[in-house]
Amino acid sequence: RKFEAPRHGNLGFLPKKRTKHHSGRIRSFPKDADASAAPHLTAFRAYKAGMTHVVRGVDRPGALMHKREVVDAVTILETPPMVVVGVVGYVETPRGLRTLTSVFAEHLSEEFKRRCYKNWFKSKKKAYTKYAQKYSQDGAKDIEHELNRIAKFCSVVRVISHSQPKKLNLRIKKAHIMEIQVNGGADAKAKVDFAKSLFEKEITIDSVFAKDENLDVIGVTKGKGYEGVTTRWGVTRLPRKTHRGLRKVACIGSWHPARVSSTVPRAGQNGYFHRTEMNKKVYRIGKAGDKASCQTEADLTEKGVTPMGGFVRYGEVNEDWVMLKGACVGVKKRPLILRKSLHVPSSRKHLEAVDLKFIDTSSKLGHGRFQTAEEKAKFLGPLASKAN
């Protein structure tokens, strides 16, 4: 018989309940320590398209797989350009950060305004119309005054930006709005000038992240509904002959205290939790309209990242995209947040340059045999169904 039994399940993730932040929430940004760096953004919005696999060469002297090829599972995230529509400044107080003021751009897109309403169709669509008049009054003196206040008093500057769902085929019209912290720059004035220079402009994924970089993925996991203790907490099944079921916890606590402790595994909601996964490596960043974005030195076939028949339950990837090693939280189409890594990675695995040999684009609907439609047509020859 075993004499020790570590508890099942981690209590650090309590309470296990459905999240309120359905499109992810950045709880902390990277430390803004380097004043000599140019002002830069620290996060970006992405949408999960699906997974595929790649073959890559390993370059890690001393490792078992050094100079050999390995197959890695990768996730493709579609990252259409985001639009910066405002800037917000925070002052540090003994109780944490406090918003000092926000400044918005003059022209705001319909996608952004839709997010301001519950029912866009029945609304008067007047959001920010009075605010925009500030730009035409007194040579935008009011706007400049607020920007100067941010530069003078604030220690943290963040831009307000939104995604462009109309570029995706996701049947959503409301933009996902988020704050992105501006790090770098000599002082708050440099940050504010950088933020104002981005107003109403598109920012692309390659202006925030680069290949071989490590980033954190923030999002909501796949929901599983109400589940029992064995699945939810990983407790051991009881013996087969147990009366009234065996996927249970045998003893849920002592007689006294006469309550069930919060540390006892119970059935309940599983999945749809807010999670942050650290240090995912960027294998490749692809541009919109690049027909040969999945070409490598070893595989010269001109092909895009969309597999044959499209990504299952997603469709085609027509915008910029980023390829991350391994899996990501959430279902297809889910909005995720990519954030610069909180820690400077130091291990050789994190610093290794990735050399992709082959990217698989065969159909994900079944056992895909062909990488491109041309390859399939060449193999099958003239088809009777195409003759007439």
Side-chain angles (χ1 to χ4, degrees):
R1 179 183 178 284
K2 280 177 70 177
F3 289 104
E4 81 256 354
R7 69 157 291 113
H8 286 275
N10 189 339
L11 297 179
F13 293 107
L14 287 179
K16 288 198 170 188
K17 57 196 279 190
R18 288 195 292 272
T19 183
K20 292 182 291 188
H21 305 285
H22 308 290
S23 51
R25 168 173 174 245
I26 301 179
R27 293 203 170 101
S28 52
F29 283 93
K31 282 261 191 310
D32 183 19
D34 188 10
S36 61
H40 57 276
L41 301 178
T42 49
F44 207 83
R45 170 76 66 194
Y47 296 85
K48 181 168 170 177
M51 293 189 72
T52 183
H53 66 260
V54 299
V55 177
R56 69 178 179 96
V58 178
D59 179 29
R60 226 165 46 236
L64 188 67
M65 298 305 291
H66 180 51
K67 290 198 170 169
R68 294 162 83 175
E69 290 182 352
V70 293
V71 176
D72 277 341
V74 291
T75 306
I76 307 297
L77 306 176
E78 196 164 5
T79 52
M82 297 181 75
V83 179
V84 175
V85 290
V87 60
V88 53
Y90 291 88
V91 287
E92 284 179 7
T93 71
R95 292 185 303 280
L97 294 176
R98 177 178 74 81
T99 313
L100 180 73
T101 183
S102 304
V103 176
F104 285 89
E106 185 176 6
H107 306 288
L108 303 174
S109 68
E110 185 195 287
E111 298 164 297
F112 177 84
K113 289 179 184 170
R114 273 176 185 270
R115 182 58 71 183
C116 305
Y117 292 98
K118 183 77 175 167
N119 188 335
W120 174 255
F121 172 72
K122 284 190 176 166
S123 72
K124 292 185 175 160
K125 309 179 176 52
K126 303 271 282 182
Y128 290 97
T129 48
K130 284 192 175 165
Y131 187 91
Q133 289 167 8
K134 289 185 181 182
Y135 278 90
S136 52
Q137 294 165 354
D138 310 342
K141 198 183 289 178
D142 198 9
I143 299 287
E144 285 303 319
H145 173 65
E146 292 299 307
L147 287 170
N148 291 334
R149 277 184 70 211
I150 296 176
K152 186 176 178 185
F153 299 115
C154 294
S155 53
V156 173
V157 178
R158 295 176 183 168
V159 297
I160 300 168
S161 59
H162 68 83
S163 60
Q164 301 186 76
K166 70 166 185 286
K167 288 182 179 280
L168 302 170
N169 192 18
L170 291 188
R171 293 162 53 200
I172 53 173
K173 295 177 182 176
K174 283 186 186 181
H176 289 108
I177 303 168
M178 60 187 278
E179 287 184 6
I180 302 175
Q181 188 159 308
V182 178
N183 280 2
D187 53 4
K189 177 90 171 70
K191 293 186 191 350
V192 172
D193 292 344
F194 172 73
K196 187 163 188 296
S197 70
L198 294 176
F199 272 15
E200 300 175 27
K201 295 206 180 106
E202 288 190 342
I203 48 173
T204 54
I205 182 74
D206 53 2
S207 66
V208 182
F209 297 108
K211 182 181 172 293
D212 297 337
E213 197 173 337
N214 289 282
L215 49 82
D216 301 340
V217 177
I218 301 169
V220 179
T221 62
K222 191 184 289 188
K224 311 279 188 181
Y226 193 99
E227 289 200 311
V229 278
T230 309
T231 309
R232 192 176 184 225
W233 290 95
V235 300
T236 311
R237 282 177 16 183
L238 299 174
R240 183 191 60 80
K241 296 169 78 165
T242 310
H243 187 40
R244 297 204 185 103
L246 48 82
R247 293 172 69 85
K248 293 171 177 284
V249 174
C251 172
I252 58 168
S254 54
W255 190 315
H256 289 292
R259 298 170 290 284
V260 179
S261 163
S262 61
T263 59
V264 176
R266 308 291 273 163
Q269 170 69 27
N270 196 21
Y272 207 72
F273 303 140
H274 187 278
R275 293 289 178 263
T276 303
E277 284 199 292
M278 318 277 276
N279 290 335
K280 302 235 166 244
K281 197 164 185 75
V282 177
Y283 273 10
R284 181 168 281 199
I285 292 177
K287 297 298 289 176
D290 184 3
K291 293 280 195 296
S293 58
C294 282
Q295 206 172 38
T296 63
E297 284 185 5
D299 175 28
L300 296 173
T301 316
E302 269 197 25
K303 56 182 184 178
V305 73
T306 308
M308 291 190 67
F311 279 106
V312 182
R313 294 194 173 89
Y314 186 86
E316 294 181 358
V317 172
N318 295 319
E319 292 299 316
D320 297 353
W321 52 269
V322 59
M323 179 191 286
L324 299 184
K325 180 182 178 178
C328 283
V329 295
V331 293
K332 316 287 186 301
K333 305 190 178 88
R334 182 148 294 168
L336 304 172
I337 294 174
L338 308 179
R339 178 191 64 191
K340 283 196 182 283
S341 186
L342 287 186
H343 309 290
V344 178
S346 56
S347 75
R348 280 166 60 209
K349 185 185 253 181
H350 288 152
L351 298 174
E352 183 187 343
V354 174
D355 168 33
L356 295 184
K357 301 280 178 73
F358 168 76
I359 300 168
D360 182 62
T361 54
S362 62
S363 171
K364 305 297 166 205
L365 229 58
H367 299 281
R369 291 172 62 189
F370 308 107
Q371 295 295 324
T372 58
E374 293 78 51
E375 186 186 331
K376 181 177 179 180
K378 194 173 172 185
F379 179 84
L380 294 177
L383 298 174
S385 60
K386 298 274 168 32
N388 38 6

